[in-house]
Amino acid sequence: MQLALYRYSLPFRQPLMFKRERLANREGLLVSINGQWGEIAPLPGFSTETLAEAEAESLACLAALSRGEIVSPTLPSVQFGFDCVQRSWPLNLPEPLPPYPLLQGAPAALIQSLSTTDWQASLPSRLKLKVARHAMEEELALIEQLAARLPTTKLILDANGGWTREDAQRFCERLPLKQIDYLEEPCAAFADTIAVAEATGVAIALDETLSRREEWYCHPQLKALVIKPTLIGSLSDCEALVQRARAGNLRVVVSSSFESDLGLVQLARLASEWAPDEPPGLDTGHWLAGRVTNLAGEVMTENVHCLSKMENLA
């Protein structure tokens, strides 16, 4: 058994903010077992573990595997990477649907870019916008512009739990609800999110609630589960959420956590398997100014830092 762990660092095209943390590079790990790969990339501000903690657990797991032991990682990003690297991927999956575009940045700059963006060639059916990051009036003005310029496009809004119940309600009362597909996690507490949905009629989706493994229940205003495997962890836990979504007639959206091109390809395959009719939330790759794989999909090991190489000694 050939075992290896590598570390990568890819620059963002421009620094991005993650929960008030400014990042210029995306850093993560690539684990290899007998030529199959997995990605381990905790997202600062969202993952509970640090990259250093993920690296330590990954090295310990590989050492245990080299001794012929069975490993059970405990950190979500490590669980995801090791599950992918040891997975028997289904054959003949349908071609993944193209992801919907993600808009991120200051509202004024985005409004200015709207005038130069040629959407007319192919209007997106859905568009995702991060909210609860700038002044409410500016974000509402941007949404008004988007709704006017893209009348057939449904808007997905993602607040990352950034509002109080009162602020979320004030925001939602001024939304063009007919054009809003759903609002992800307006508040940090599920009870507050439900209260906002009931008060305003906005459709909602859950994201952080799932990765934090908090209690939730189906509600008429709950439309979708946004599943981020890097943050949730084991693929079996993700699959349990997919089954629960199907039982509750909820949409499933497989979403990224700014993984490298390797991770995005694997997430697209999971989206094809779990939600073949739902465009995934995987439009993050263009924020990265580098790749870890070549055009054939092979990891360019010469461009990443080798942390460990070992063989099964058992």
Side-chain angles (χ1 to χ4, degrees), residues 24 46 54 72 85 154 186 189 245 247 271 284 287 310:
F46 291 87
S72 298
V85 80
K154 290 281 192 179
T284 52
W287 292 97
M310 59 187 83

Side-chain angles (χ1 to χ4, degrees), residues 44-193:
F46 291 87
S47 292
T48 54
E49 71 274 19
T50 66
L51 183 59
E53 290 166 342
E55 181 180 317
E57 184 171 76
S58 299
L59 289 169
C61 286
L62 288 178
L65 284 173
S66 75
R67 299 189 295 268
E69 300 171 13
I70 296 173
V71 300
S72 298
T74 61
L75 302 176
S77 62
V78 183
Q79 289 176 341
F80 172 62
F82 273 77
D83 277 1
C84 285
V85 80
Q86 298 177 96
R87 191 168 200 256
S88 296
W89 291 91
L91 300 175
N92 304 318
L93 285 172
E95 193 68 23
L97 293 175
Y100 48 72
L102 168 66
L103 290 185
Q104 185 162 294
L110 290 175
I111 287 175
Q112 190 172 8
S113 72
L114 283 177
S115 59
T116 59
T117 302
D118 182 20
W119 293 112
Q120 303 308 317
S122 59
L123 285 174
S125 61
R126 295 190 186 103
L127 192 66
K128 183 169 182 175
L129 175 68
K130 294 286 189 177
V131 293
R133 297 183 173 203
H134 302 276
M136 188 177 292
E137 291 298 326
E138 293 179 20
E139 293 184 341
L140 287 165
L142 172 58
I143 291 166
E144 186 179 333
Q145 291 263 0
L146 286 169
R149 288 175 180 267
L150 307 171
T152 62
T153 297
K154 290 281 192 179
L155 302 179
I156 296 168
L157 308 177
D158 185 5
N160 292 123
W163 285 313
T164 64
R165 182 189 295 198
E166 293 73 24
D167 283 345
Q169 188 164 326
R170 279 197 303 119
F171 182 87
C172 292
E173 284 170 348
R174 295 176 57 188
L175 288 177
L177 286 184
K178 286 185 178 178
Q179 231 173 306
I180 304 303
D181 194 1
Y182 54 77
L183 170 62
E184 284 182 44
E185 300 274 354
C187 307
F190 179 69
D192 288 338
T193 288

